[in-house]
Amino acid sequence: MDPKEQRIKIAVQKTGRLTDHSLDLLERCGLKVRKSKDQLFCYGENMPIDLLLVRDDDIPGLVADDVCDLGICGLNVVEEKRLERDANGKNALFKRVYDLDFGHCRLSIAAPEGTRYAGPKSLENAKIATSYVGILKQFLAENSVSADIEYFSGAVEIAPKLGKADYICDLVSTGGTLKANGLTEVETLLESEAVIIQTQVPLGGEKQELVDKILQRLDGVLQVRESKYIMLHAPRSALAEIRDLLPGTEAPTVVPLEGSSDRVAIHAVCRENVFWETLENLKAAGASSLLVLPVEKMLA
Ligand code: PRT
Ligand code: ZN
């Protein structure tokens, strides 16, 4: 390795809900990594980008302390760590630069079913169990409510059953865990998804160029995920109607069909998924020979 080579370090969750998606996205951006035995450090073989595999809670700190240039983790963790640093009089030193549209969940307050909840004032003097002390404190302060916060590092949902809390404040995705524990959501504090954070320390020309390139490739990767290439034949007279039926299409290509004065071939990239209903509506509008193909790569 050239010692002067500028390499980017990205912190990624080692094992957890975000790991596969994060690694898959980076791979789709063209990165090939060599996994080392201890799996803590992955050397980028074809790009000057290395990965550090760590616990998600450590990611904002690693970026803030300039150990890593970028990090991928949940907005819930990013916000909590920012508030934690704030409370300790430290600057955040990391900024959110990209939303990744996976790892969706929300940080919510939940109460045992049957609890009468009439807005934040119902939390006055209540005991609330959470691992998200910073975000919860901020919510209570914004609503001028004073409550007892009980810190739980895990299994927050069992706190009411154990008699340790009246409410919980935890992440919810399908709501299954709450239901299984006889709890119901009463308030959402934060809508979260996986995001990329970057150090606030200026990276310097070469490194910043590389970061910009990765973010541009991510744009392409995220766009093609939903995109489909659609081909069909249709009467020229139905063009306007067909165009309106194609989801998320800008300018379709229209080509005359050999031996037919009336029918044309239409090719278009649809930026949204194409469902069976769309195909059935296109057919009803006069389309035939419908073909929908996945899009592999896209660069705007
Ligand atoms: O070991 P490490 O510290 O790295 O991992 P971790 O155990 O802290 O995190 P992990 O892997 O569980 O989650 C990583 C990130 O995924 C979180 O910080 C969120 O940004 C995101 N995420 C998305 C979730 C969920 N959905 C989720 N449902 N994180 C946790 N949950 C838990 C929640 O805490 C609750 O226990 O799942 C349960 C609720 O799920 P539902 O579907 O029953 O509502
Ligand atoms: Zn964690």
Side-chain angles (χ1 to χ4, degrees), residues 13 16-18 55-57 74 76-77 103 105 171 173-177:
Q13 190 184 25
R17 288 169 200 262
L18 306 181
R55 288 199 56 197
D56 66 346
D57 316 73
N76 50 304
V77 173
C105 57
L171 297 176
S173 121
T174 60
T177 304

Side-chain angles (χ1 to χ4, degrees), residues 255-264:
V255 196
L257 278 175
E258 186 73 21
S260 166
S261 57
D262 164 46
R263 291 183 78 75
V264 287

Side-chain angles (χ1 to χ4, degrees), residues 166-290:
D166 308 304
Y167 292 86
I168 69 160
C169 172
D170 198 14
L171 297 176
V172 184
S173 121
T174 60
T177 304
L178 291 184
K179 202 157 185 232
N181 286 281
L183 300 167
T184 181
E185 228 171 324
V186 295
E187 196 83 61
T188 300
L189 276 48
L190 176 80
E191 293 283 352
S192 180
E193 67 186 286
V195 298
I196 298 191
I197 50 170
Q198 179 178 335
T199 165
Q200 298 264 24
V201 179
L203 291 178
E206 221 175 288
K207 270 187 159 186
Q208 188 58 51
E209 263 172 39
L210 191 56
V211 168
D212 292 342
K213 187 165 157 180
I214 299 167
L215 297 185
Q216 193 189 35
R217 286 190 183 185
L218 272 171
D219 265 341
V221 169
L222 294 183
Q223 271 184 34
V224 296
R225 215 172 32 178
E226 289 278 289
S227 297
K228 296 281 179 279
Y229 192 76
I230 183 164
M231 300 195 275
L232 55 94
H233 293 172
R236 198 178 275 278
S237 56
L239 254 175
E241 190 182 349
I242 288 198
R243 212 186 147 141
D244 288 345
L245 285 170
L246 291 171
T249 305
E250 278 145 35
T253 307
V254 180
V255 196
L257 278 175
E258 186 73 21
S260 166
S261 57
D262 164 46
R263 291 183 78 75
V264 287
I266 302 173
H267 291 195
V269 173
C270 296
R271 305 258 174 159
E272 297 161 30
N273 217 337
V274 180
F275 296 103
W276 280 110
E277 288 76 17
T278 311
L279 295 185
E280 284 154 6
N281 292 339
L282 286 165
K283 198 167 162 51
S288 62
S289 307
L290 291 134

Side-chain angles (χ1 to χ4, degrees), residues 7-134:
R7 297 185 70 85
I8 299 267
K9 269 200 220 80
I10 308 180
V12 174
Q13 190 184 25
K14 187 172 194 279
T15 26
R17 288 169 200 262
L18 306 181
T19 309
D20 288 350
H21 260 104
S22 306
L23 296 176
D24 181 59
L25 263 186
L26 292 168
E27 201 177 297
R28 281 165 188 261
C29 287
L31 178 68
K32 288 196 175 66
V33 292
R34 190 193 311 149
K35 288 200 173 147
S36 62
K37 268 196 208 118
D38 65 0
Q39 292 268 308
L40 180 68
F41 183 83
C42 296
Y43 178 76
E45 291 182 327
N46 60 337
M47 293 167 97
I49 297 173
D50 304 319
L51 306 184
L52 215 61
L53 301 182
V54 293
R55 288 199 56 197
D56 66 346
D57 316 73
D58 296 334
I59 293 174
L62 288 168
V63 175
D65 296 340
D66 209 20
V67 177
C68 291
D69 307 291
L70 297 177
I72 300 179
C73 73
L75 181 62
N76 50 304
V77 173
V78 174
E79 274 305 288
E80 182 62 24
K81 295 294 169 190
R82 184 180 66 76
L83 292 166
E84 213 173 84
R85 287 181 79 95
D86 247 17
N88 293 326
K90 292 186 195 165
N91 290 330
L93 291 180
F94 47 79
K95 55 183 179 193
R96 171 180 172 187
V97 291
Y98 206 91
D99 295 348
L100 291 166
D101 199 22
F102 69 86
H104 288 277
C105 57
R106 51 197 185 274
L107 183 68
S108 292
I109 295 180
E113 276 155 18
T115 303
R116 287 161 65 113
Y117 183 80
K121 286 283 171 233
S122 301
L123 300 170
E124 190 70 41
N125 296 326
K127 262 192 191 165
I128 313 172
T130 192
S131 350
Y132 291 86
V133 174

